[in-house]
């Protein structure tokens, strides 16, 4: 009883819901019989407590089982004629590869080995957010609080303080809280750009951003990443040729290559932005994974033509989706208006969670632990991936990602499709590039890349190719 | 010491931050001196504990004061040469009246009497969301959970159950979780409509929606609200003339008029939608304020051409910003893609909060209490507004809003500007209309319209006019 197939592409939670439904329908689980406890079942199936809890809640919502406080879960008594409701899954993934990949990474039940995803293991995030602080929020009347459109002023003050420590002269009135970095990029593109405008992008670069910008019908011009940052020769040629409105770039711990631009490269980018008069949207989503006080465009430019985009989704918790942007006085008011037109306002609860973590000093301690853990994971994963037959091209960089090349003859896209069937999520390089710059490559999450199932899968394919 | 001016348009929290800053700068509060306790100061100034807590946190973030656990707040010791950081406020409101109004209603500190706002008093919302449930979320590994792009499946199941109880045959795969109803409308407009398309809107209607649709460069055609719903004659003429793509309408407890369409009127609207082949986006934001099981377009149409847009922001808590839409299998997948392109995904924490409230049965009990309270508040506020000299045109309808006419000769827009100076937020009818249908009218929040400061202000002006 209660069998699930780990290697199936079907999410484990969905399998469990279906399995219990079948057991009830077939009469093997009879009315009012008691189900195993959540923890028991999770251990027995080798899945998380969360997966079982959620499956049980879905079964409850469907009226198939019921919870008796203090006693456990039981098969519900049913009206005679009532058929078992059909189990419905979400829609099949979109046909766009980037959107399909985004959906997979977001669904905790859809993958067994998130080797290509961008999230940290949940254990790495524990103990940062304090439940007592949340209770305090409700006790102090938080339930009635709406977040101001621009975001909680106390949170904005704390962000300003952090930015100033990195020598970025932000002001509270120049900070806008968003539902994550993608939301910030969406607001920027909607408000400051028009369909048909030309923008420069990193190549390779973050796939969701590339898809967002394409959906805005912008004309995307790729700028190659090189060892010390952006290829300044190409950047200048493209700026002269296309007169872009904006450059979307990640100078620190770049996704997917891990490259951190040198101060000199930053200076070069900024000089071109000044000469050819384009704005820069600088993605700082992974900045806090690296050593403090790296030189960035925002720091040199002092937020004159650079828009700083940050996020706590990766480093604090994906359950909160809080990001922000910091920019000049001229740009922010219209972006606040655009936020109202997009979502009206943020969630005061979420803004409070982040505020509490920042104000309590826990965030700094969390980052110290995180960087240590990540450095160790990078070293281990790098060794294991190389032993499996891949070449890791950025072992010495910091951050979350390893950028690895497959042996000649192996196609990364085909490999990713094959891996998905085995419950392993791979991020093929093609997804990150408008050119062929990503082909034959995979992006790995250093925290997830030492999983034996992944390594075995890779070693087998690499040996055949060799 | 610690003086604030209630009638000032400047938010009370900002006043307090400035006042403490001034007292420290002028030396009247000396280094290391103890500040009054939060509760003390809140009582003394007649402001909420939240306002003082937030002001203190902002002062702390600026390094002006410090908190000593168990002892209270003290003026911080400062380095000799360090000047007091300049207190920065958010940007002045946008020039668009609807956006300006939206900003005011969202900022809990900006107004003393939110008579025109759309939110419930915080006390009405207490005890619905349970802090222990939140702690459970973190204990069970919630910190590492990302919400699937379409939204938590268990929450979607619960919403489906609620909709089915209202005889609306939704399916889990046809439900999409959003950051509030405005976010749902934004996704609908972005994905299903193109600039230049013609859409029909209620006149009067919800001002944020009107502004959103205008910003999408849609061609808006007003359809008057009449006693039993929408004016079917005008609706037919406009449908024939303009061949609209969609009708954005609120059939139940309409904002601002309170009108609930009759079943016959719903049938008429739907017949025209079928004949002239347009979709309907039906706003159900206030549905749960009314009696259960009112007939709606979504119910008659069974979600074939009607998109149901709901929200828990109003009825549960503005601190969470959770909404959703339910629609046909054909429409939802592309709306999920659009959500990924807009915000990537929702916040699992927030989705869990709502799931817990729905699953525990607390929501139903909360609604019962809420409806009783609101009915009483409507009766009282109606009497008081009429005594002050206004005519309330929808006293017998349910829901949150009273729609009132001023005596001839009084201009609602001018009155709103004057009121704002006295810390009273009024919602002038013009904001809700593309025509003159709102002029000489104000929308009141029944829960806030019995405030003596409001009534005194109104009575004075109405007497002068009479």
């Amino acid at each position: 009883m209660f069998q699930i197939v780990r290697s199936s592409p079907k999410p484990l939670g969905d399998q469990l819901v279906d399995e219990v439904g079948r057991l009830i329908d077939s009469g093997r689980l009879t009315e009012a019989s008691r189900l195993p406890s959540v923890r028991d079942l999770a251990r027995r199936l080798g899945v998380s407590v969360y997966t079982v809890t959620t499956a049980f809640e879905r079964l409850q919502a469907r009226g198939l089982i019921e919870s008796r406080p203090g006693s456990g879960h039981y098969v519900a008594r049913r009206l005679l004629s009532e058929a078992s409701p059909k189990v419905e899954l979400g829609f099949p993934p979109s046909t766009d590869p980037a959107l399909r990949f985004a959906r997979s990474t977001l669904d905790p039940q859809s993958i067994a080995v998130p080797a290509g995803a961008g999230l940290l293991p949940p254990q790495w995030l524990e103990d940062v957010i304090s439940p007592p602080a949340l209770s305090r929020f409700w006790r102090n009347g938080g339930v009635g609080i709406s977040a101001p459109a621009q975001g909680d002023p106390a949170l904005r003050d704390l962000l300003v303080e952090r930015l100033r420590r990195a020598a970025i002269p932000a002001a509270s009135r120049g900070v806008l809280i968003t539902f994550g970095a993608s939301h910030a990029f969406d607001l920027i593109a909607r408000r400051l750009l028009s369909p048909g405008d030309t923008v420069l992008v990193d190549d390779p670069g973050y796939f969701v951003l590339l898809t967002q910008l394409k959906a805005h019908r912008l004309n995307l011009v790729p700028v190659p990443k090189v060892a010390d940052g952006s290829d300044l020769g190409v950047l200048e040629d493209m700026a002269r040729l296309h007169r872009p409105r904006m450059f979307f770039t990640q100078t620190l711990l770049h996704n997917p290559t891990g490259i951190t631009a040198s101060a000199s490269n930053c200076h070069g980018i900024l000089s071109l932005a000044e000469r050819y008069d384009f704005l820069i949207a600088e993605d700082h989503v992974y900045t806090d994974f690296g050593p403090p006080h790296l030189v960035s465009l925002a720091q040199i430019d002092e937020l004159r033509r650079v828009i700083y985009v940050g996020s706590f989704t990766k480093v604090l918790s994906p359950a909160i989706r809080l990001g922000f942007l910091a920019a000049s006085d001229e740009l922010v008011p219209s972006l606040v208006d655009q936020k109202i037109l997009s979502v009206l306002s943020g969630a005061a609860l979420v803004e409070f969670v982040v505020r509490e973590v920042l104000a309590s000093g826990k965030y700094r301690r969390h980052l110290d632990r995180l960087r240590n853990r990540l450095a160790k994971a990078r070293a281990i994963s790098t060794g294991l991936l190389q032993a499996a037959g891949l070449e890791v091209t950025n072992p010495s960089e910091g951050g979350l990602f390893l950028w690895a090349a497959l042996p000649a003859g192996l196609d990364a896209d085909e490999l990713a499709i094959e891996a998905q069937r085995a419950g392993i999520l791979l991020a093929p390089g093609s997804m990150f590039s408008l050119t062929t710059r990503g082909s034959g490559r995979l992006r790995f999450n250093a925290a997830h890349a030492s999983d034996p199932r992944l390594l075995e899968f890779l070693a087998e394919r690499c040996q055949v190719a060799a």
Side-chain angles (χ1 to χ4, degrees), chain A residues 394-447:
Chain A
N394 62 339
S396 61
E397 309 283 341
L400 188 57
F401 298 120
L402 298 168
W403 186 230
L406 290 166
L410 269 187
D411 184 293
D413 296 290
E414 285 172 17
L415 205 64
I417 293 167
E418 210 187 323
Q420 182 116 32
R421 278 188 225 117
I424 299 169
L425 187 75
L426 292 184
S430 60
M431 213 166 56
F432 298 86
S433 179
L434 302 170
T435 65
T436 57
R437 231 163 252 128
S439 68
R441 289 174 181 278
L442 293 166
R443 182 195 75 175
F444 289 100
N445 182 322

Side-chain angles (χ1 to χ4, degrees), chain A residues 183-195 213 216 218 248 335 338-339 341-343:
Chain A
H183 188 209
F185 286 124
D186 187 48
L187 298 178
I188 290 168
R190 287 175 85 175
R191 195 59 170 209
L192 306 178
L193 301 168
S194 305
L213 298 177
H216 282 292
L218 297 166
F248 289 83
L335 292 169
Q338 190 62 51
K339 180 180 167 190
L341 294 171
S342 139
V343 294

Side-chain angles (χ1 to χ4, degrees), chain A residues 16-295:
Chain A
L16 183 55
V17 169
D18 284 2
E19 170 76 356
V20 175
R22 262 193 307 272
L23 291 170
I24 293 174
D25 281 347
S26 67
R28 294 184 59 199
L29 276 176
T30 51
E31 271 188 37
S33 66
R34 191 166 180 279
L35 293 167
S37 80
V38 169
R39 285 187 191 277
D40 238 44
L41 194 54
R43 202 175 37 238
R44 216 197 292 174
L45 299 175
V47 302
S48 73
V49 165
Y50 181 84
T51 299
V52 179
T53 306
T54 307
F56 276 15
E57 280 169 356
R58 294 172 67 183
L59 288 162
Q60 253 181 287
R62 284 172 189 153
L64 287 176
I65 69 172
E66 55 195 27
S67 152
R68 300 187 196 157
S71 167
H73 290 86
Y74 292 80
V75 177
R77 295 173 197 283
R78 283 192 284 164
L79 300 177
L80 264 178
S81 66
E82 196 180 6
S84 150
K86 198 173 141 291
V87 171
E88 288 167 312
L89 304 177
F91 273 98
S94 155
T95 49
D96 181 287
L99 294 182
R100 199 168 59 210
F101 185 86
R103 285 196 193 209
S104 298
T105 64
L106 290 168
D107 195 340
Q109 305 179 352
S110 70
I111 32 174
V113 186
L119 297 177
L120 291 173
Q123 322 71 281
W124 291 31
L125 302 170
E126 272 162 18
D127 305 324
V128 195
I129 293 166
S130 123
L134 283 176
S135 303
R136 189 150 32 90
F137 176 73
W138 299 114
R139 260 204 325 277
N140 285 342
V143 72
I145 301 299
S146 50
Q150 193 169 349
D152 176 41
L155 174 59
R156 286 190 277 126
D157 288 345
L158 288 162
L159 292 172
V160 163
E161 208 196 333
R162 275 190 68 73
L163 289 169
R164 288 193 175 163
R165 254 186 260 129
I168 298 168
S172 181
R173 56 191 269 136
V175 172
L176 172 63
I177 309 297
T178 63
F179 284 119
S182 291
H183 188 209
F185 286 124
D186 187 48
L187 298 178
I188 290 168
R190 287 175 85 175
R191 195 59 170 209
L192 306 178
L193 301 168
S194 305
D197 281 352
T198 293
V199 297
L200 306 171
V201 294
D202 290 341
D203 193 275
Y206 177 46
F207 58 94
V208 171
L209 175 63
L210 297 178
T211 311
Q212 280 184 305
L213 298 177
K214 280 187 261 177
H216 282 292
R217 288 186 238 160
L218 297 166
N219 177 26
L220 271 56
V221 174
V223 176
K225 270 284 170 189
V226 292
D228 71 333
S230 295
D231 185 324
L232 295 178
V234 174
L235 182 59
E236 173 148 29
D237 287 349
M238 293 301 117
R240 194 174 38 228
L241 200 61
H242 296 288
R243 297 288 163 170
R245 297 282 312 280
M246 200 177 279
F247 181 21
F248 289 83
T249 188
Q250 190 166 37
T251 44
L252 307 186
L253 300 173
H254 173 254
N255 176 9
T257 66
I259 291 169
T260 288
S262 66
S264 158
N265 192 267
C266 286
H267 167 67
I269 295 171
L270 207 52
S271 301
L272 290 171
E274 285 158 5
R275 187 166 338 140
Y276 294 99
D277 194 24
F278 54 85
L279 295 172
I280 293 173
E282 191 177 33
D283 181 346
H284 280 271
V285 163
Y286 295 101
T287 297
D288 284 352
F289 286 83
H293 309 307
L294 290 173
V295 174

